[in-house]
Amino acid sequence: MKIIFLLAVVLSTFACSTKKTATYCPEVIRGYASYYGKNFHGKKTASGEKYSMYRLSAAHRFLPFGTVLIVENLKNGKKVRVVVNDRGPFVKGRVLDLSYKAARKLGMLRDGVVPVKAVVVRCGR
């Protein structure tokens, strides 16, 4: 009888709890970044806003939308401030997809993929 009671308590606890997603923002992210441009310009991002290749934005797999990052191109030392507004990249080893404008400021248009260090300035929503 005790087992049935305990099982009922446990099941009701899980059934009544609301799922809360934790906001996790690491201080520093290291890896490779790529960029996306014309093919996605004007299309809807995962956050619901339209992607503009002329804004300083980025895609990350799990950082909350609105997270502000300072991204440094480790090949040349150039830095840019971006806001996460999309999901991706979904390629192994890559940590960020940057907008065309961010990639241009980082001097990575020719390379396409570069090693980066991204520092979280402000964690999003």
Side-chain angles (χ1 to χ4, degrees):
M1 196 65 165
K2 286 183 182 179
I3 293 175
I4 294 173
F5 175 74
L6 287 174
L7 185 60
V9 170
V10 169
L11 289 176
S12 66
T13 302
F14 283 116
C16 296
S17 67
T18 59
K19 183 179 179 184
K20 292 184 179 180
T21 56
T23 301
Y24 172 67
C25 285
E27 291 179 23
V28 178
I29 300 163
R30 294 176 188 271
Y32 286 88
S34 54
Y35 71 94
Y36 55 116
K38 288 182 183 179
N39 294 346
F40 295 94
H41 185 69
K43 294 184 179 176
K44 199 180 240 187
T45 64
S47 67
E49 63 186 78
K50 283 187 178 180
Y51 168 70
S52 172
M53 60 189 274
Y54 304 112
R55 292 182 62 207
L56 296 172
S57 62
H60 188 270
R61 285 187 295 274
F62 64 80
L63 285 175
F65 297 132
T67 297
V68 178
L69 305 169
I70 301 292
V71 181
E72 179 182 1
N73 179 342
L74 297 177
K75 285 183 77 174
N76 62 20
K78 292 183 180 183
K79 296 179 182 181
V80 68
R81 180 182 168 139
V82 297
V83 178
V84 174
N85 71 343
D86 204 1
R87 291 291 171 235
F90 300 106
V91 176
K92 188 177 181 177
R94 295 195 196 161
V95 294
L96 290 172
D97 268 336
L98 300 167
S99 66
Y100 172 84
K101 184 174 182 178
R104 187 174 44 129
K105 287 188 174 272
L106 287 175
M108 62 177 280
L109 293 179
R110 183 174 295 255
D111 293 329
V113 178
V114 296
V116 295
K117 176 176 87 171
V119 178
V120 175
V121 175
R122 180 176 50 86
C123 197
R125 321 177 201 149

